[in-house]
């Protein structure tokens, strides 16, 4: 097991490096010159000093400022691989210093005017907070519902749920969000349409929690509904396959209680293909949703990604995408290990 995990970690590091090179090159090919922008801003700030210069002196002064910022940001060379190595922290800057990811420098957010590591925590907490509730709620509904539909296959309840789940699965998420806002906000007036707290409030403790949950109730309901269709149908199909296995018929023929057959024998076999989805859901608590967070006014990771793309805040975007790549690679490793724990036939020590 240890040898397998170490080998996979080695593969993961190689993949992470390759993807980071690709992403770095892509974003550096986008027309965006931070050094030039900052140099122009400094030149404008020193307009009193510049006004007394000739045109040639102004150009020379600007080039001096421009070169200073290029050296500061490590862009004083056109060689992208050298700039990538500086960004990672394995190649020196002009003055011989190292100031990359390995040294803890994850970039500077031009939009927020602070380091990227100071920008991420607040939206990350919001995303984790709402996704934990949505994931637990969705799994608590979909798994029992899928099991019940598989046991009662062909019944009226199963047929009704098949219609409901396929509608929920087919509708785009933004259509569902608009529909739920219209029903619960415009028609019924139960929930607020957007926001995360009462405007102007500064609640603490339980009052803060209840106020936050009141504002997040509609996004949670919408997210849960959108996830019901796919997982319910997946659990149902997996359980139907498991219930048709020879070992299940043998257990029933031996007189084993139906609950034991369903929740011990059948569910254990049905869990094998489901485990990847379940683990993926839980690891997905770190990722935000562009649709939900923008439509409901939630300041999470999805909204941060969207705003960073709109303002070309590439340091934030690169950090977020590298983080999501790392989470995906870890998720694949965890899924493979859990497969070996769920199914004794699967071995991950080779």
């Amino acid at each position: 097991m240890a040898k397998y995990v170490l080998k996979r970690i080695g593969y993961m590091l190689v993949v992470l490096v390759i993807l980071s090179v690709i992403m770095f090159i892509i974003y550096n090919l986008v027309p965006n010159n931070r050094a030039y922008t900052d140099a122009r801003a400094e030149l404008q700030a020193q307009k009193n000093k510049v006004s007394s210069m000739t045109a040639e002196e102004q150009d020379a002064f600007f080039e001096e400022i421009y070169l200073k910022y290029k050296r500061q940001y490590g862009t004083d060379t056109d060689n992208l691989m050298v700039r990538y190595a500086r960004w990672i922290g394995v190649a020196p800057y002009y003055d011989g210093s190292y100031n990359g990811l390995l040294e803890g420098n994850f970039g500077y957010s031009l939009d927020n005017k602070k380091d990227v590591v100071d920008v991420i925590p607040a939206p990350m907490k919001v995303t984790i907070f709402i996704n934990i509730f949505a994931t637990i709620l969705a799994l608590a509904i979909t798994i029992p519902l899928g099991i019940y539909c598989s046991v009662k296959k062909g019944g009226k309840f199963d047929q009704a749920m098949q219609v409901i789940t396929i509608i929920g699965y087919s509708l785009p998420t933004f259509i569902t969000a608009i529909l739920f806002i219209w029903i619960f906000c415009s028609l019924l007036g139960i929930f607020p349409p957007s926001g995360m707290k009462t405007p102007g409030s500064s609640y603490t403790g339980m009052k803060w929690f209840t106020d936050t949950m009141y504002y997040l109730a509609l996004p949670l309901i919408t997210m849960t509904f959108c996830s019901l269709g796919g997982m319910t149908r997946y659990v149902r199909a997996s359980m139907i396959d498991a219930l048709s296995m020879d070992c299940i018929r043998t257990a029933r023929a031996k007189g084993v209680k139906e609950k034991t057959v369903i929740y011990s024998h059948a569910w254990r076999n049905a869990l094998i293909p489901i485990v990847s989805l379940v683990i993926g859901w839980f690891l997905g608590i770190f990722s935000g949703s562009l649709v939900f967070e923008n439509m409901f006014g939630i300041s999470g990771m999805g909204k941060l990604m969207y705003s960073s793309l709109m303002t070309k805040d590439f340091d934030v975007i690169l950090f977020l995408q590298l983080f999501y790549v790392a989470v995906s690679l870890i998720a694949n490793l965890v899924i493979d290990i859990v497969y070996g724990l769920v199914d004794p036939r699967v071995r991950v020590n080779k």
Side-chain angles (χ1 to χ4, degrees):
M1 173 69 77
K3 183 179 179 181
Y4 171 81
V5 172
L6 290 174
K7 185 187 294 185
R8 284 293 301 271
I9 291 175
Y11 293 152
M12 289 162 54
L13 291 175
V14 172
V15 173
L16 185 62
V17 169
I18 293 173
L19 290 178
S20 66
V21 171
I22 294 173
M23 289 188 294
F24 182 84
I25 292 175
I26 289 174
Y27 285 115
N28 274 268
L29 291 176
V30 176
N32 181 52
N33 194 330
R34 178 181 170 187
Y36 183 86
T37 303
D38 289 353
R40 278 295 177 189
E42 183 173 333
L43 188 69
Q44 183 66 25
Q46 300 186 38
K47 58 182 179 181
N48 292 331
K49 178 181 178 180
V50 175
S51 60
S52 60
M53 297 180 181
T54 63
E56 292 78 8
E57 290 175 335
Q58 290 181 11
D59 291 339
F61 183 61
F62 172 75
E63 289 299 327
E64 181 182 345
I65 299 174
Y66 184 32
L67 180 60
K68 179 188 73 173
Y69 279 108
K70 287 199 296 183
R71 288 173 174 174
Q72 177 181 336
Y73 299 141
T75 57
D76 53 317
T77 175
D78 293 330
N79 190 323
L80 286 178
M81 295 311 299
V82 173
R83 289 162 62 175
Y84 169 79
R86 289 175 173 177
W87 176 64
I88 291 295
V90 295
Y93 280 70
Y94 174 78
D95 58 357
S97 64
Y98 292 81
N99 189 28
L101 297 180
L102 297 178
E103 287 76 34
N105 179 19
F106 297 101
Y108 183 81
S109 173
L110 296 175
D111 190 33
N112 296 277
K113 305 301 180 185
K114 53 185 177 181
D115 292 336
V116 173
V117 292
D118 297 324
V119 175
I120 301 299
M124 178 67 78
K125 289 178 182 177
V126 173
T127 295
I128 291 176
F129 181 80
I130 189 172
N131 281 350
I132 283 178
F133 282 97
T135 301
I136 294 175
L137 185 61
L139 291 176
I141 295 174
T142 55
I143 291 178
L145 191 61
I147 293 174
Y148 186 82
C149 288
S150 65
V151 174
K152 302 295 182 180
K153 177 185 174 183
K156 291 184 178 179
F157 181 82
D158 178 48
Q159 294 177 359
M161 287 307 304
Q162 292 308 297
V163 174
I164 294 173
T165 54
I166 199 168
I167 291 174
Y169 184 75
S170 303
L171 279 177
T173 54
F174 70 92
I175 295 295
T176 305
I178 293 172
L179 181 63
F180 275 45
I181 291 173
W182 176 64
I183 294 173
F184 290 101
C185 301
S186 299
L187 293 183
L188 302 178
I190 300 175
F191 301 117
S194 64
M196 295 181 57
K197 67 174 185 176
T198 302
S201 65
S202 56
Y203 300 129
T204 58
M206 184 55 67
K207 184 64 176 177
W208 168 85
F209 179 78
T210 54
D211 182 67
T212 302
M213 291 307 298
Y214 172 66
Y215 273 83
L216 295 182
L218 185 57
L220 283 172
I221 293 172
T222 309
M223 291 173 68
T224 303
F225 180 82
C226 290
S227 60
L228 288 180
M231 181 59 86
T232 302
R233 294 176 68 84
Y234 204 85
V235 172
R236 176 183 178 274
S238 186
M239 276 295 293
I240 289 174
D241 290 340
L243 288 170
S244 64
M245 297 173 67
D246 292 338
C247 61
I248 302 300
R249 286 193 289 267
T250 302
R252 284 173 171 165
K254 291 169 63 178
V256 178
K257 293 182 179 180
E258 188 64 17
K259 285 187 177 180
T260 304
V261 171
I262 294 172
Y263 296 105
S264 180
H265 301 312
W267 174 239
R268 181 68 182 270
N269 287 283
L271 187 61
I272 297 171
I274 295 172
V275 67
S276 59
L277 291 178
V278 175
I279 294 174
W281 272 21
F282 274 106
L283 291 175
I285 65 174
F286 298 102
S287 61
S289 170
L290 291 173
V291 175
F292 286 113
E293 293 183 4
N294 280 282
M295 293 195 69
F296 290 104
I298 300 172
S299 300
M301 297 295 284
K303 193 171 184 179
L304 176 63
M305 174 68 83
Y306 177 78
S307 63
S308 299
L309 285 169
M310 292 297 100
T311 57
K312 295 183 180 180
D313 203 351
F314 293 135
D315 282 358
V316 176
I317 299 170
L318 272 172
F319 178 84
L320 290 178
Q321 293 192 341
L322 274 179
F323 174 75
Y324 291 139
V325 168
V327 169
S328 299
L329 293 172
I330 294 171
N332 288 327
L333 176 60
V334 173
I335 289 170
D336 288 343
I337 294 174
V338 173
Y339 267 139
L341 300 176
V342 174
D343 188 354
R345 297 170 297 179
V346 178
R347 291 290 178 264
V348 295
N349 59 353
K350 296 182 180 180

